[in-house]
C-alpha cells in the first residue's frame, strides 16, 4: 500500500528536527507541528534545494548554512512598544509595585532583535527605575542578537515606533531616545548600557534566577502543550515570589488548580508568581 506523501513529509521533518537536535543541540521537536512545518518549508524554498533530504544533508554538513537557516526555523518578530495597552499596564499597575524593591532584574526571553527590551528600558527610565535595573535579553538566534546589541534599526520603522510609544503613554518624545543617520536610527547608550544580550535556548538551557519580571511574549503559542508546561516551570524557577510573568496578548496562561501563577492584569496577559 503506497504511503501518503503527507506522512512522508511529516517523517522527513521529524527526522530533520531530530538531526538538528543531535548535531547542534537546538531542540525544535516540540514546536507546534503546523508552525514548524511552515517554517521548514520556507527554509527549503529559500535554500533552492530540491527536497527535504537535501536540506537536512546541507544543514548537517554546513554549520554556516545552518546558522543562516535558524532564523527561518524560529520566530524573529518584534517591534517597539508593540501592543501599547500592555505597556500602559506596566507603567500604571506593575511598576508602582516594583518600585518598592531596591534592585530589579528583568528577563526578556525570546527577545529577537531587541525592540521589546529597549521598550521596557525606556519605560523604566521614565519611571525612574532604570538605574537600579539590570535587563537580560536572550534569544536562540545569534544573528538577531547581533542587531539587538547594536540597537540600530531602519528609519522606515520610526513612524510606527513613535506612534506606539505615544499610545503607550510615553512621557517624553521618542526622538529623545535615538540619533539618526544614513536612513537608520541608533538607540542611545543610556538604554543599551542596562541590557545584557545572551544567546539562550529556552527549551534546553538553564534559566536566569531571582527575576522580578519575565517577558516571554508571543513565543509560547508556537510550542506544544507539554513544552509550554516545561517552559512555564522554568519561569517559576526564575521568578522571585511576587514577580511578574508577561505573555503576548494572543496567549493565555491555563493551569490546573494550585499552580503558582495568578492573574494580575488578565486583559494584558500579565500574571503574578505566588512562590512556594
Amino acid at each position: 500500500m503506497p504511503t501518503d506523501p503527507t506522512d512522508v513529509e511529516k517523517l522527513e521533518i521529524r527526522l530533520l528536527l531530530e538531526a538538528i537536535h543531535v548535531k547542534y543541540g537546538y531542540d525544535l521537536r516540540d514546536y507546534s507541528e503546523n508552525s514548524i512545518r511552515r517554517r521548514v518549508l520556507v527554509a527549503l524554498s529559500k535554500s533552492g534545494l530540491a527536497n527535504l533530504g537535501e536540506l537536512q544533508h546541507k544543514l548537517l554538513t554546513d554549520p554556516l548554512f545552518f546558522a543562516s537557516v535558524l532564523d527561518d526555523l524560529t520566530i524573529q518578530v518584534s517591534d517597539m512598544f508593540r501592543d501599547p495597552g500592555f505597556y500602559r499596564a506596566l507603567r500604571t499597575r506593575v511598576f508602582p509595585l516594583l518600585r518598592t524593591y531596591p534592585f530589579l532584574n528583568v528577563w526578556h526571553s525570546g527577545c529577537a532583535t531587541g525592540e521589546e527590551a529597549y521598550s521596557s528600558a525606556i519605560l523604566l527610565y521614565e519611571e525612574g527605575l532604570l538605574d537600579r535595573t539590570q535587563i537580560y535579553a536572550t534569544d536562540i538566534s545569534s544573528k538577531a542578537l547581533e542587531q539587538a546589541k547594536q540597537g540600530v534599526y531602519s528609519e522606515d520603522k520610526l513612524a510606527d515606533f513613535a506612534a506606539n510609544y505615544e499610545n503607550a503613554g510615553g512621557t517624553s518624545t521618542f526622538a529623545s531616545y535615538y540619533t539618526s543617520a544614513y536612513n537608520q536610527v541608533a538607540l542611545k547608550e543610556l538604554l543599551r548600557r542596562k541590557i545584557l544580550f545572551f544567546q539562550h535556548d529556552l527549551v534546553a538551557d538553564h534559566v536566569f534566577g531571582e527575576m522580578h519580571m519575565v517577558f516571554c511574549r508571543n513565543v509560547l503559542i508556537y510550542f506544544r502543550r507539554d513544552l509550554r508546561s516545561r517552559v512555564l516551570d522554568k519561569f517559576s524557577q526564575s521568578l522571585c515570589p511576587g514577580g511578574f510573568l508577561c505573555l503576548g496578548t494572543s496567549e493565555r496562561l491555563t493551569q490546573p488548580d494550585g499552580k503558582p501563577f495568578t492573574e494580575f492584569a488578565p486583559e494584558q496577559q500579565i500574571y503574578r508568581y505566588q512562590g512556594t
Side-chain angles (χ1 to χ4, degrees):
M1 182 177 179
T3 304
D4 187 333
T6 302
D7 292 337
V8 172
E9 181 186 86
K10 288 180 179 179
L11 177 59
E12 287 183 310
I13 291 174
R14 189 160 69 245
L15 292 173
L16 183 147
L17 299 180
E18 185 68 33
I20 289 173
H21 181 241
V22 172
K23 173 71 174 181
Y24 297 105
Y26 292 108
D27 193 351
L28 310 178
R29 297 172 297 176
D30 283 331
Y31 278 51
S32 164
E33 183 176 300
N34 289 335
S35 175
I36 197 65
R37 176 183 179 273
R38 287 194 300 270
R39 284 179 265 165
V40 167
L41 294 181
V42 166
L44 175 62
S45 176
K46 287 184 177 181
S47 73
L49 298 171
N51 53 57
L52 291 171
E54 289 187 9
L55 179 66
Q56 176 173 312
H57 177 75
K58 189 166 179 63
L59 286 172
L60 293 179
T61 57
D62 188 342
L64 291 178
F65 176 70
F66 170 73
S68 70
V69 168
L70 185 59
D71 281 352
D72 290 325
L73 298 182
T74 56
I75 299 299
Q76 301 299 326
V77 178
S78 189
D79 208 350
M80 295 286 290
F81 294 98
R82 180 170 57 170
D83 304 319
F86 165 76
Y87 288 95
R88 288 197 300 271
L90 290 185
R91 187 190 298 271
T92 61
R93 301 187 60 184
V94 175
F95 287 177
L97 297 176
L98 294 182
R99 196 179 302 279
T100 62
Y101 292 89
F103 188 84
L104 298 174
N105 288 314
V106 175
W107 177 20
H108 281 269
S109 178
C111 71
T113 46
E115 289 93 332
E116 186 175 78
Y118 288 115
S119 298
S120 68
I122 289 173
L123 225 62
L124 288 160
Y125 174 77
E126 291 185 349
E127 294 300 308
L129 297 173
L130 186 60
D131 282 345
R132 50 186 165 115
T133 300
Q134 180 62 64
I135 300 172
Y136 302 89
T138 66
D139 200 87
I140 196 172
S141 169
S142 58
K143 180 180 177 181
L145 286 170
E146 282 305 311
Q147 181 178 351
K149 290 175 183 177
Q150 294 172 12
V152 175
Y153 302 99
S154 170
E155 203 170 49
D156 294 341
K157 296 183 176 182
L158 190 54
D160 288 340
F161 287 175
N164 286 347
Y165 167 77
E166 183 176 344
N167 290 332
T171 59
S172 183
T173 61
F174 189 70
S176 64
Y177 296 110
Y178 68 84
T179 57
S180 181
Y182 306 107
N183 298 317
Q184 293 183 312
V185 294
L187 297 177
K188 290 189 174 179
E189 172 66 16
L190 73 90
L191 305 175
R192 289 187 289 112
R193 66 183 175 84
K194 298 301 293 185
I195 307 175
L196 295 176
F197 290 98
F198 296 93
Q199 189 171 19
H200 180 271
D201 183 349
L202 183 57
V203 176
D205 292 341
H206 295 296
V207 299
F208 295 83
E210 299 299 314
M211 295 293 118
H212 299 92
M213 290 188 70
V214 171
F215 293 75
C216 187
R217 306 189 70 230
N218 304 306
V219 175
L220 297 182
I221 55 174
Y222 299 106
F223 295 167
R224 294 179 182 175
R225 181 178 299 178
D226 58 342
L227 180 55
R228 287 199 300 269
S229 179
R230 298 206 309 268
V231 169
L232 287 171
D233 284 343
K234 288 188 174 186
F235 292 152
S236 297
Q237 299 168 29
S238 177
L239 281 163
C240 298
F244 294 91
L245 173 64
C246 302
L247 303 182
T249 54
S250 59
E251 298 167 314
R252 184 168 181 82
L253 181 60
T254 56
Q255 308 173 102
D257 291 341
K259 286 294 183 177
F261 293 102
T262 60
E263 292 183 341
F264 181 79
E267 69 282 1
Q268 300 299 338
Q269 305 307 325
I270 300 174
Y271 301 86
R272 198 164 195 189
Y273 177 59
Q274 298 307 300
T276 56

